[in-house]
Amino acid sequence: MKQFPIALQLYSVREDLEQDFEGTLKKVKALGYDGVEFAGLYGKAPAEIKALCEKHGLTPISAHVPFVDMMADPDKVLGDYAAIGCRFVAIPYLTEEYRPGTDGFQKTIEGARLLGETAKKLGMQLLYHNHDFEFVKIDGKYALDVLYDTVPADLLQTEIDTCWVNVGGENPAAYVRKYTGRAPIVHLKDFFLSGKKPDQMYELIGIESEKKEEEEKTFEFRPLGKGLQDFPAILAASEEAGAQWVVVEQDAPSMDKTPMECAEISIQYLKTLIR
């Protein structure tokens, strides 16, 4: 098995970052992570964040940046992440008006092309990070595949979130392998599901919905190795697909563990597979 460098999506420890940004980076490195993927800069300047990553020996590989924020000022927003040293920047999530099944999905496709061109100009690569709502079909083809088929690979590459592929009804390893040569970063995320998936799925990742009725808890994110995912198969597929990095992400802690404890469990499990 390839000895992938391992990054942590910092959204996983967002509350820790709010309380102690540098101290959290130091802890992430101490757990054995090689790099980080940002989800916000917490009011800090790009130069400061670049210096902190260098100080603590973390590679700033990527960032999740809201689509509307990037579209509002592509050169400035993407330029900040280029200044930090990120090689990749990802569209992380689509609000409802930009999703497949709406007129706004065409704006997403056009925007991805524009942002991909801007990223390329800055020496970066644009990625798309999926959830499960892209696994609806447009003329017999998944919307996620429509996006990748429409925007050229040099402008848009994949950041397959293996949890959401599974929730969307597809095999994560097979889906990573499908995009061989276009999958530089693979998101490793575990989960547990008993029964049907809840209607309010995205409240689990901090996205509020109008529906407030209590639902039976049937889904939760888990540290790697504590859920339903077949990570040996996913890692083998990632190696075949030419992935450069794997990224651990856990949107919400579980099992009565803190976010940092979950991050530790995940990397300890990963090390048994790839190191």
Side-chain angles (χ1 to χ4, degrees):
M1 185 72 68
K2 178 179 177 179
Q3 294 189 3
F4 287 104
I6 304 168
L8 180 67
Q9 167 47 259
L10 291 175
Y11 185 76
S12 309
V13 291
R14 55 195 177 278
E15 293 178 359
D16 300 77
L17 286 167
E18 288 171 359
Q19 296 172 9
D20 182 0
F21 190 92
E22 181 175 2
T24 300
L25 292 184
K26 185 176 181 180
K27 288 178 183 177
V28 168
K29 179 63 178 180
L31 293 181
Y33 285 94
D34 304 295
V36 289
E37 182 175 58
F38 294 98
L41 300 182
Y42 297 83
K44 298 187 180 299
E48 181 182 2
I49 291 180
K50 179 180 174 68
L52 287 173
C53 287
E54 290 175 351
K55 177 180 178 180
H56 295 291
L58 289 166
T59 301
I61 63 160
S62 182
H64 279 191
V65 188
F67 177 66
V68 293
D69 291 356
M70 288 194 283
M71 290 298 295
D73 193 347
D75 290 297
K76 170 65 170 63
V77 175
L78 274 69
D80 283 347
Y81 289 96
I84 291 169
C86 294
R87 293 170 51 202
F88 303 93
V89 62
I91 299 172
Y93 179 83
L94 296 176
T95 51
E96 290 187 12
E97 65 269 30
Y98 293 107
R99 293 181 190 172
T102 71
D103 292 340
F105 188 57
Q106 184 58 38
K107 293 181 180 177
T108 298
I109 292 173
E110 294 167 359
R113 185 185 297 271
L114 183 151
L115 294 173
E117 290 170 348
T118 303
K120 190 174 183 179
K121 181 176 65 177
L122 292 165
M124 294 191 295
Q125 174 67 60
L126 182 71
L127 309 174
Y128 185 85
H129 169 267
N130 63 279
H131 288 77
D132 65 330
F133 51 74
E134 297 91 348
F135 288 91
V136 297
K137 291 192 173 179
I138 300 173
D139 297 329
K141 185 186 296 185
Y142 285 134
L144 187 59
D145 296 324
V146 171
L147 174 66
Y148 291 134
D149 288 349
T150 307
V151 183
D154 66 319
L155 298 182
L156 182 67
Q157 297 195 1
T158 72
E159 185 175 57
I160 302 295
D161 185 297
T162 54
C163 164
W164 292 115
V165 170
N166 198 330
V167 171
E170 289 294 329
N171 179 287
Y175 219 81
V176 169
R177 195 175 285 110
K178 178 178 183 177
Y179 284 100
T180 295
R182 199 175 178 175
I185 299 177
V186 175
H187 259 217
L188 305 181
K189 185 187 296 180
D190 214 345
F191 70 99
F192 180 78
L193 177 65
S194 59
K196 74 179 186 70
K197 67 181 182 180
D199 294 330
Q200 301 178 54
M201 286 290 287
Y202 298 111
E203 291 201 346
L204 297 168
I205 59 173
I207 307 297
E208 292 190 4
S209 69
E210 293 181 3
K211 185 176 179 181
K212 294 300 181 184
E213 293 89 347
E214 286 294 320
E215 290 188 307
E216 180 184 358
K217 186 176 181 181
T218 60
F219 179 98
E220 70 177 8
F221 298 106
R222 292 276 183 90
L224 303 192
K226 301 297 183 180
L228 301 176
Q229 296 275 58
D230 183 353
F231 286 110
I234 290 170
L235 290 167
S238 299
E239 182 174 1
E240 290 177 34
Q244 300 168 31
W245 283 80
V246 292
V247 175
V248 171
E249 181 179 38
Q250 187 172 340
D251 303 75
S254 60
M255 302 174 64
D256 295 320
K257 303 294 185 183
T258 67
M260 196 64 74
E261 287 171 341
C262 289
E264 182 176 12
I265 293 168
S266 289
I267 194 166
Q268 286 180 347
Y269 169 74
L270 263 187
K271 285 180 178 179
T272 68
L273 300 179
I274 64 178
R275 292 185 179 175

